Amino acid sequence: MTTPRRIDVDTPDGPMPADWFAPRAEPAATVVLFQEIFGVTDYIHRRSRDLVAEGYGVLVPHLYWRLGEGGTAPVVTETDGDALERAMGLAQRLELETAVADGVSAVETVRRYDGSTGLGLLGFCFGGGVAFAVAARVQPDVLISYYGSALPSLLDLAPQVTCPSLHHFGDADAFIDADARARIREAVSASGATWMDHPGANHAFDNHLGAWHHHQAAVNAWHATTEFLDDHLPTAAVPHPS
């Protein structure tokens, strides 16, 4: 199992902790992965390891670092009975603009790293919106957003997201209704984004630990995600372990 190394990302407010999952061979392209509202959970680490298996390095900034004690970011376990309420409380305490600025700092850290050959952004839920807003500022090589919860309020940024991008949404998303999804789709499609609907899937369908997990949607979306990365952010071919 790939074990991440904790590093510090410089921000104007001090060091932000981040998890660095080194690629299995260098040089390699790097993906900055942005968390759900639950924080940097085992699920986020699982997806990071999945990307390492595809040949990428992965940097996971702990966006909640200001909300804990001593710079330790709080994490909510998805299976707890009050998980959603607690996680939404954390997300509401963090200004989106602050999270986006921290995301830009994470990108700057990657771009100073000589072993990285390219940059991708991937975000889930809360992180999907952060990734979109960061992409508008830093122009990565590729963006992939899963059900970005802040996207309805960020559509004015769509013309500034000029990299190849892929958006995943479940068509039964209870948090982003059909009208909001239609507005998102119109805005991002006008900027050339690829859109993928997942029948019967709710919000956060990719998280295998959450109550909203939809197995087939998760499988289909991840297959499309890795293909999209391979097309737009190719990295060194790394043989998979037998």
Side-chain angles (χ1 to χ4, degrees):
M1 178 181 292
T2 304
T3 301
R5 178 167 62 92
R6 182 62 57 86
I7 68 169
D8 287 333
V9 170
D10 292 332
T11 81
D13 298 324
M16 172 177 60
D19 296 330
W20 168 242
F21 290 79
R24 289 162 50 197
E26 289 187 346
T30 303
V31 176
V32 179
L33 194 159
F34 294 107
Q35 67 188 57
E36 290 186 316
I37 60 171
F38 300 103
V40 180
T41 59
D42 290 344
Y43 157 66
I44 293 298
H45 278 183
R46 175 198 176 203
R47 279 310 190 201
S48 300
R49 293 186 177 98
D50 290 339
L51 289 169
V52 170
E54 298 292 329
Y56 297 95
V58 184
L59 184 66
V60 184
H62 286 235
L63 297 179
Y64 285 166
W65 68 283
R66 290 179 176 81
L67 306 182
E69 296 182 2
T72 300
V75 178
V76 175
T77 301
E78 298 95 327
T79 54
D80 290 347
D82 60 348
L84 185 58
E85 179 182 359
R86 289 166 53 209
M88 291 183 72
L90 287 171
Q92 289 166 3
R93 287 170 53 199
L94 179 62
E95 292 288 338
L96 180 63
E97 177 58 32
T98 300
V100 172
D102 284 347
V104 171
S105 294
V107 167
E108 292 171 348
T109 296
V110 169
R111 286 183 164 162
R112 288 193 297 267
Y113 176 51
D114 291 338
S116 180
T117 60
L119 172 70
L121 304 182
L122 170 62
F124 299 91
C125 181
F126 170 76
V130 172
F132 183 79
V134 171
R137 296 190 184 186
V138 305
Q139 301 306 317
D141 297 298
V142 64
L143 161 70
I144 301 174
S145 174
Y146 278 68
Y147 29 81
S149 53
L151 282 177
S153 65
L154 297 173
L155 298 183
D156 60 316
L157 298 179
Q160 300 171 45
V161 181
T162 58
C163 66
S165 60
L166 170 63
H167 290 267
H168 293 289
F169 278 94
D171 69 3
D173 193 314
F175 293 88
I176 304 174
D177 64 26
D179 287 343
R181 294 196 303 274
R183 287 188 285 108
I184 296 168
R185 183 170 188 169
E186 180 180 9
V188 300
S189 297
S191 299
T194 299
W195 181 277
M196 191 167 181
D197 272 320
H198 298 277
N202 202 336
H203 197 77
F205 65 76
D206 188 64
N207 188 336
H208 68 294
L209 299 175
W212 316 274
H213 179 58
H214 189 294
H215 174 75
Q216 194 58 55
V219 169
N220 293 344
W222 193 251
H223 178 71
T225 290
T226 56
E227 284 197 336
F228 203 78
L229 285 171
D230 190 50
D231 287 343
H232 300 289
L233 189 68
T235 195
V238 179
H240 287 209
S242 56

